[in-house]
Amino acid sequence: MANEIWTIKRCLEWTKEYLAERGEEHPRLSAEWLLCAATGLARIDLYMRMDETLNAAQLETMHAAVVRRAKGEPLQYITGSTQFRMIDVACAPGVLIPRPETEMLVEEVLNYLDAEVLSPEAAARQRVELPWNDEVEQARKAEAALADERATAERRAANLTAADEAALGSDVLGSRAYAEELADREAEEAAAQAAEAEAAKAAEPELDEYGIAIEGADQKMASAQDAAAPAPTEPRIARVLEVGCGTGCISLSLAWERRGHVTCTATDIELRAIDLATKNRDALGLTADEVAFSLTNLVSSIPREEWGTFDVLVSNPPYIPTDVMRSLPHEVKDFEPDLALEGGADGLDIFRRLLNAAPYMLRAGGLFACELYEGALDAAAELCRQAGLSDVRIVHDLTDRPRIVRAIVTEPKQRQ
């Protein structure tokens, strides 16, 4: 067998059949993931290079990976990573693997921050329209042209064929979202530059026929601008507290997708989780000022002076009821950490402790949001109401199962 020629195509087909015989639910998808990890290729590239031959090191890596997968070990542990929203996240045994449902939890937090805490990026810089500025209309036209350019960039980012999407699977969603985010940023930066140019023109003094500034004209214009312009305010930086960070995917996504506008403090009781989350933060180029990880039990490490200063408390806590733990799939029950899964008899043991902490950690109007077991959401929502939280809502996941409870702290507490 060592002397045989193993192309990507042959290895893909053989692995698919081998895993299918051993009960793999999605054997071809698993084979693709394993081959990508062994070769360093993207999934779509596998189909572009089917006739390429694997070298000895790649074959050895692939063999070991197939053996592990045949025993039920999760793909994310074998390949060492997974995609979460717009970022790649390193995964390792002992730390819970990120799920698609948790991407929705991030979305709920972002929606709240955008609506209640942060100003929209496009409106961050307001252009003052002075009554004597006859170039205002030209500036409007320039901004409209920039908007057209942005729309073109978004269409180009989304220009993927059906064949591309079929080959890429879920990865295409992350790559498209990232491209659209880049297009947004580029358009916003261009609009800001155009606004600055217009402001500079408006600040030019009035000249006489000899090109000499008319006395007092520039002072009059400056005074009028000062009177018309709103008083400058410091940019609002949202503060998020995450409890039970695992790989760090929630906090890292929030800080990455709203960089410069969100800082996160994230805790976990498991040292392996803190180490892995820190590795993921460093890989993204984020700093400890943007996302700070702390090894502690729930909120025990939060300094007293920071109580009541957070805009959001978010968590994907252990929430599987004890009886349900026994019926979990083999690759979850026997490979992922019980500490990150089991939530007590009704799945709400940790949730109750978080709910108790929320009024002390959050400012008035702050958001408390948790991902929970589908059968526990009604009870969790009622607990939130009994605790005095308002605007209590249950959010359903992509399969229309209740998955997230979110509520607003209206009356913060101070511990004596």
Side-chain angles (χ1 to χ4, degrees), residues 119-130:
S119 298
E121 280 294 306
R125 181 186 293 273
Q126 295 290 336
R127 176 165 47 82
V128 179
E129 297 185 9
L130 302 178

Side-chain angles (χ1 to χ4, degrees), residues 77-132:
Y77 287 161
I78 300 171
T79 63
S81 67
T82 192
Q83 187 177 47
F84 186 86
R85 289 182 65 87
M86 295 170 62
I87 63 176
D88 288 325
V89 178
C91 300
V95 182
L96 189 71
I97 297 168
R99 263 58 173 195
E101 294 84 358
T102 309
E103 296 188 3
M104 295 188 63
L105 180 61
V106 173
E107 189 72 16
E108 285 297 315
V109 173
L110 288 175
N111 289 340
Y112 166 80
L113 292 176
D114 289 344
E116 304 296 337
V117 182
L118 304 176
S119 298
E121 280 294 306
R125 181 186 293 273
Q126 295 290 336
R127 176 165 47 82
V128 179
E129 297 185 9
L130 302 178
W132 58 84

